[in-house]
Amino acid sequence: MLPPIPSRYQPEAVDPASLGSWLAWSLPFFSEPVAQNPHVDLTLQLDVSRAHAAYLALPEGARASFFAFLVWHLTWTLAQHDSFNLRCVDGEWYRLGNPPLFIPVAVGGPARFRSLVLEDVQQLELEDFLALYRERLARLRHADAGGGNQEGDEAFSYAHFMGHLPQLRFTGMTLHWRQDQMIGQSCFYFGQRYQAAGRLLMPLAVRMHHSCSDPFVLNQLLEDFNGRFPG
């Protein structure tokens, strides 16, 4: 059972019947316990050429990393797409107005991974987010090697999940899921960037919960995301 959604994530109760014919049917159909996989896994090769040009135009000292730059822009785009901000808790649907951001960070050693949790991202300008990301990432990487991973426990099921695999140029990826967690949550994994036909491409794996999201709304999301970087 999931804990109540923290008020700082700004949960708003949603009546599925009020959301139109498709969501009125899909929200309960794919979230009820049935013998089916409720997820859609899709991996694509995203053209990030214009995004990278916009990143390089930033002052060098403010850049942090290209991954962080993409994460901020994707988080702001997600805020405009309700399908990716719906979560189901104990059979009740909510729209999150201020979901956290959860990033697994590979630190090696016995810990292997730590949780980078950032809140109020949609209230931060790019420069402030990049500075916060740099500071929190450095703190995680220099933490006690025996420390745990509890920071992300509360946020995990409600967050926008974004992972980074910069050494892997994958063409397909299926993410795990526990049946008692993450109903409605989408997960994004960024892969190794590479040049092809004069473009900078990047694998992007997305796991969507079919109750509220699917390739149709993902395409709308990515169109708006790419629109943030005029050519």
Side-chain angles (χ1 to χ4, degrees), residues 50-51 54 69 72-77 80 222-230:
R50 295 185 310 191
F69 177 83
W72 183 84
H73 280 283
L74 181 56
T75 301
W76 273 69
T77 309
Q80 310 304 316
L222 293 179
E223 284 185 348
D224 286 351
F225 173 75
N226 288 324
R228 298 179 68 89
F229 314 107

Side-chain angles (χ1 to χ4, degrees), residues 74-87:
L74 181 56
T75 301
W76 273 69
T77 309
L78 285 164
Q80 310 304 316
H81 291 258
D82 277 351
S83 290
F84 294 92
N85 294 284
L86 297 173
R87 303 289 187 272

Side-chain angles (χ1 to χ4, degrees), residues 110-227:
R112 188 178 298 189
F113 293 98
R114 296 193 187 279
S115 303
L116 175 58
V117 177
L118 301 172
E119 299 189 347
D120 302 322
V121 174
Q122 296 168 16
Q123 301 171 31
L124 295 175
E125 296 298 328
L126 176 59
E127 182 178 352
D128 296 327
F129 172 78
L130 294 178
L132 177 64
Y133 176 86
R134 284 195 307 269
E135 186 272 326
R136 294 291 302 280
L137 185 63
R139 188 193 308 172
L140 273 183
R141 287 177 169 164
H142 292 90
D144 178 8
N149 205 30
Q150 290 82 13
E151 180 185 4
D153 289 353
E154 181 181 51
F156 181 67
S157 295
Y158 307 119
H160 293 315
F161 180 105
M162 298 187 196
H164 191 205
L165 299 170
Q167 282 79 43
L168 296 178
R169 190 184 303 182
F170 50 83
T171 57
M173 184 177 182
T174 301
L175 301 174
H176 66 277
W177 177 75
R178 279 178 49 182
Q179 194 168 358
D180 61 344
Q181 286 185 319
M182 300 183 286
I183 295 181
Q185 182 191 45
S186 295
C187 300
F188 301 84
Y189 253 107
F190 301 70
Q192 182 189 67
R193 298 182 293 276
Y194 62 97
Q195 294 284 341
R199 300 181 300 160
L200 182 64
L201 303 181
M202 179 191 72
L204 177 66
V206 186
R207 163 155 281 199
M208 298 166 282
H209 201 287
H210 202 27
S211 56
C212 52
S213 51
D214 50 53
F216 178 81
V217 293
L218 176 63
N219 180 65
Q220 294 178 324
L221 175 77
L222 293 179
E223 284 185 348
D224 286 351
F225 173 75
N226 288 324

Side-chain angles (χ1 to χ4, degrees), residues 96-114:
L96 302 188
N98 186 33
L101 177 62
F102 182 100
I103 301 173
V105 177
V107 295
R112 188 178 298 189
F113 293 98
R114 296 193 187 279

